[in-house]
Amino acid sequence: MTAAIMDGLAVSKETRARLQGRVEALRCAGTTPGLAVLIVGENPASKVYVRNKAKACGEIGMHSEIHEYPGDATEATVLAKIAELNADPRIHGILVQLPLPKHFDVDNVLETISPHKDVDGFHKESLGALMSGNPTFQPCTPHGVMVILDHYGIPLAGVDAVVVGRSNIVGKPQALMLLARDATVTICTSKTKDLAAHTRRADVLVVAVGRPGVVTGDMIKPGAAVVDVGINRTAEGKLVGDVDFESAKQVAGWLTPVPGGVGPMTITMLLANTVRSAELAAGLPSPKF
Ligand code: NDP
């Protein structure tokens, strides 16, 4: 068997085109959706991510602004800016680029963002709403995975879904989203005794670990849908996922590549959350996706 590729770039383009239509409708109604991004310090990767987010906003007609602070900025300075943005009617989404310098209390910073503008979906109120089944803003990466699976018509109800990784930004919310769609969900961690025994049972396998080759073809159920969230750079500078693509391709039914799989969907879902926030603020109907 050779897996069919789930093309995140194509799904992302299609989704952004639909979002552009919603942005135009909002602008006709007098609202331009606005995203504010705060970045602290000189992390080069973070700077690239932030620039890409601003560029993506501009491409679909949204307003964006970047607030940059040096690595020795105080938490109080950043909290004051968040409070100002919380009250700014031009801003519908606020995102603090992670990681923050060590002297910051990350939870405190994330909790200061208004839940109405929490477009990353990391506020405890957003995570609680996800847990209870009625989220307004869902974390972007796992939400993007769900959009990809739906785009390719992968059945979820009643299937065995295995999520490898339990971070608050990917693994845990991913498991909740799959559970909400009636999958039977298993979460594996670094402490899982026999990872392959679990992954081999998976009809849907989502891998978010951050280690190349943690899942190989022999660990995959024939025909399974495999989503590789991992982004790793090899010694040669090549981007690879957590799943060994070549061996997985021989066994899986569906597979996301890296790059070009989940990555492009993360920014797309950030745009989607910001558009939704603007629609809710304007009192317009807002599809959940
Ligand atoms: P974290 O480091 O926060 O979490 C990794 C998880 O993997 C942990 O729960 C850890 O378990 C688990 N783990 C580690 N080793 C193993 C193992 N051998 N077997 C099973 N589980 C294991 O990472 P993130 O969730 O933030 O990110 C995961 C990957 O996804 C990274 O490569 C990251 O770059 C990528 N990513 C990609 C995004 C995108 O846009 N495509 C967005 C966000 C992340 P334990 O809890 O026991 O330590």
Side-chain angles (χ1 to χ4, degrees):
M1 173 180 291
T2 302
I5 297 301
M6 294 188 278
D7 182 347
L9 211 50
V11 180
S12 176
K13 271 194 190 148
E14 195 186 299
T15 310
R16 288 188 199 194
R18 269 189 285 129
L19 287 170
Q20 189 162 8
R22 287 165 63 183
V23 171
E24 276 159 23
L26 272 160
R27 287 170 71 131
C28 288
T31 297
T32 299
L35 174 71
V37 183
L38 289 82
I39 174 168
V40 187
E42 300 300 323
N43 184 326
S46 292
K47 288 196 165 191
V48 173
Y49 293 143
V50 165
R51 268 204 306 276
N52 288 344
K53 286 167 186 172
K55 183 165 165 266
C57 285
E59 282 167 358
I60 64 164
M62 286 170 50
H63 164 71
S64 72
E65 51 191 53
I66 299 173
H67 300 275
E68 287 190 63
Y69 297 90
D72 60 358
T74 64
E75 186 172 319
T77 308
V78 172
L79 294 185
K81 177 50 88 177
I82 294 174
E84 194 186 300
L85 294 166
N86 280 342
D88 185 342
R90 294 173 313 121
I91 295 300
H92 304 94
I94 302 170
L95 177 156
V96 176
Q97 185 65 42
L98 300 178
L100 284 168
K102 288 201 175 7
H103 63 282
F104 277 72
D105 176 344
V106 179
D107 284 346
N108 192 36
V109 172
L110 296 181
E111 295 313 300
T112 305
I113 296 172
S114 162
H116 299 293
K117 300 190 178 186
D118 175 37
V119 288
D120 248 345
F122 295 162
H123 194 287
K124 288 200 176 84
E125 194 167 306
S126 302
L127 293 172
L130 178 63
M131 175 90 184
S132 64
N134 191 23
T136 301
F137 303 122
Q138 307 192 57
C140 300
T141 300
H143 192 190
V145 170
M146 301 304 288
V147 173
I148 291 178
L149 290 170
D150 283 340
H151 178 92
Y152 287 97
I154 308 297
L156 297 175
V159 307
D160 282 317
V162 174
V163 179
V164 188
R166 60 168 155 185
S167 72
N168 286 342
I169 62 170
V170 190
K172 275 187 217 165
Q174 188 74 74
L176 287 169
M177 289 177 201
L178 289 162
L179 187 62
R181 296 288 298 276
D182 299 320
T184 301
V185 183
T186 302
I187 306 176
C188 298
T189 73
S190 65
K191 305 290 187 293
T192 297
K193 279 196 192 121
D194 185 352
L195 180 63
H198 293 283
T199 58
R200 277 192 202 116
R201 279 192 304 101
D203 302 302
V204 173
L205 176 61
V206 181
V207 188
V209 169
R211 189 183 294 189
V214 75
V215 169
T216 46
D218 59 319
M219 297 166 70
I220 293 171
K221 180 176 179 175
V226 180
V227 180
D228 189 353
V229 179
I231 302 177
N232 310 286
R233 205 170 275 283
T234 64
E236 298 78 42
K238 193 178 163 215
L239 273 191
V240 296
D242 290 344
V243 176
D244 178 58
F245 187 80
E246 289 308 319
S247 61
K249 204 172 66 178
Q250 309 305 319
V251 187
W254 299 90
L255 181 61
T256 58
V258 177
V262 176
M265 288 306 289
T266 297
I267 293 187
T268 300
M269 301 323 292
L270 173 70
L271 301 177
N273 278 345
T274 309
V275 170
R276 180 161 163 72
S277 174
E279 287 166 344
L280 294 173
L284 294 173
S286 182
K288 273 196 172 176
F289 254 86

